[in-house]
Amino acid sequence: MTPHRFLRHPTVLTFLRRQSPDSPHPTLANLHVSLANRDHLWSYITQVQKLKFPFGTGWQGL
């Protein structure tokens, strides 16, 4: 998962539309300005990946 794929994921887009119904094109920055930084998003993605897949997703993860 990359920040770009995360931002374009249908589940994220649906969540953003529900949170900001008045905005025609809601973004994560509408929720909090720090979420506009892709490096910040990358750190969240990495944190969740390490939590959910501590041994990675390759053979060691099996």
Side-chain angles (χ1 to χ4, degrees):
M1 177 68 64
T2 63
H4 180 74
R5 288 182 68 193
F6 178 78
L7 292 170
R8 298 291 170 226
H9 196 276
T11 304
V12 174
L13 294 174
T14 301
F15 173 78
L16 292 173
R17 286 186 195 112
R18 288 183 185 161
Q19 295 298 315
S20 302
D22 298 333
S23 177
H25 302 289
T27 64
L28 285 176
N30 294 47
L31 298 177
H32 195 276
V33 89
S34 71
L35 296 175
N37 185 343
R38 289 187 187 220
D39 289 332
H40 195 85
L41 284 177
W42 186 255
S43 68
Y44 280 129
I45 291 169
T46 304
Q47 183 180 11
V48 172
Q49 283 176 339
K50 287 180 181 179
L51 180 68
K52 296 294 183 179
F53 306 103
F55 301 108
T57 57
W59 289 107
Q60 291 181 343
L62 291 174

